[in-house]
Every structure is written in structure tokens, then in C-alpha cells.
Amino acid sequence: MTTQRLPFPVPDERAHLFVDSYADMHDLVEDLVVPTGVPEAAATVLRTARELLRQSYYCYGFSTVAVMYSLIAVEIVLRDRIPDAGTKPLFQLIKQGADAGILTARQAEFLDYGRQIRKGMAHGKTTHAVMPPAMAVPMVTTSFAIVTELCAAVPRQ
């Protein structure tokens, strides 16, 4: 049996379209801090999304995965905030959250757009989509903001 050694990561050639060096990736994500009060499951997912964005310097497609991952964190928190969420699909959670005033119309619109991208990828219909970091960072930032707002709105006991 032969073993193949993977090469050390090298910057994706497209990385230099948005930053000069890997160190600059830190600047792109430095404001993506998970606030206290976020459930650990969602916090872990948000931290992973942030790291995927940083690593997109080496693997450009990670920026798209970061967006999909950040939506998982929002879904976790929505399930926690919406009564009787159970196993309802995300589109129903978004609608119910908007109807109940848990989500603003703009947040619901953002989440539905992300949900459609995620659905297309999960079902193999959007396999070629690579979201540039310049587009992914604001989307992940919005997920962080929505999670922060939803968790801040929960009454403390």
C-alpha cells in the first residue's frame, strides 16, 4: 500500500483578488466575534464559519461553505426562539419568525435567499457556485448579527 502525502496549502490564485496575504484574512473576520449568551451549538457553528472564511485564502470554495454554515447557526437559534419549531423546515421557521416579529422583513429576505442557495447545494442543483469572499463576508456578518439580536432578545433569568 502506498501513501500519498498531500502538499502544504498554497494560496488559491484568486485569493489575491481580495487580499495581499493570509494575514489580511484576519482583518476580514476580526469583527466576527461570537457574543456571550449564544447557545454553544450555534456559537461553535459561527466560529467554524469564521474560520472557513479565513481559510478561503487557501481554498476559495470555503467562503461559500462559510455562508452555508452560518445559516445553520441562525436555524439553531430560530428553533430555540420559535414555539413548536420541532422539525419544521427552515422556510417555515423564517415565515413564522417574520410573522411573529422575531425577524424583520429584511432578515427574513436575507435568510430565504441563503436558504435557497443552501437548498440548491444540498440537492446537487448548485454545484458550481463559488461565492467570492467579498460577497461571503457580508452574508456571514449578517448571520452573526441575526444570531446576536435573537439571543439578546431572549429574557435573562
Side-chain angles (χ1 to χ4, degrees):
M1 181 166 111
T2 60
T3 58
Q4 178 184 3
R5 294 194 60 124
L6 295 175
F8 285 102
V10 294
D12 186 290
E13 62 189 34
R14 296 165 288 187
H16 296 291
L17 298 173
F18 56 94
V19 294
D20 292 325
S21 69
Y22 177 71
D24 295 333
M25 295 303 290
H26 299 282
D27 295 337
L28 286 177
V29 300
E30 70 183 342
D31 294 331
L32 299 178
V33 177
V34 178
T36 58
V38 172
E40 188 54 36
T44 298
V45 172
L46 287 175
R47 285 190 289 269
T48 300
R50 180 187 59 221
E51 293 310 310
L52 284 163
L53 277 176
R54 284 198 318 161
Q55 296 305 317
S56 68
Y57 181 78
Y58 295 108
C59 183
Y60 202 70
F62 281 0
S63 59
T64 305
V65 179
V67 171
M68 302 302 104
Y69 233 72
S70 71
L71 290 170
I72 293 169
V74 176
E75 185 172 357
I76 290 168
V77 174
L78 280 175
R79 287 194 186 285
D80 187 51
R81 293 288 320 275
I82 294 175
D84 304 318
T87 58
K88 291 178 183 173
L90 183 56
F91 83 89
Q92 285 182 342
L93 295 177
I94 294 167
K95 182 177 180 344
Q96 193 172 343
D99 291 347
I102 294 170
L103 295 170
T104 66
R106 181 72 179 117
Q107 289 171 330
E109 181 183 324
F110 163 80
L111 291 173
D112 192 58
Y113 175 69
R115 178 195 65 79
Q116 291 175 48
I117 295 171
R118 184 176 84 169
K119 181 180 177 184
M121 292 183 75
H123 295 286
K125 294 180 181 174
T126 312
T127 57
H128 63 282
V130 175
M131 193 173 296
M135 196 171 154
V137 169
M139 294 182 83
V140 173
T141 300
T142 301
S143 290
F144 266 76
I146 291 171
V147 167
T148 299
E149 290 171 24
L150 290 175
C151 290
V154 174
R156 303 284 185 235
Q157 301 187 10

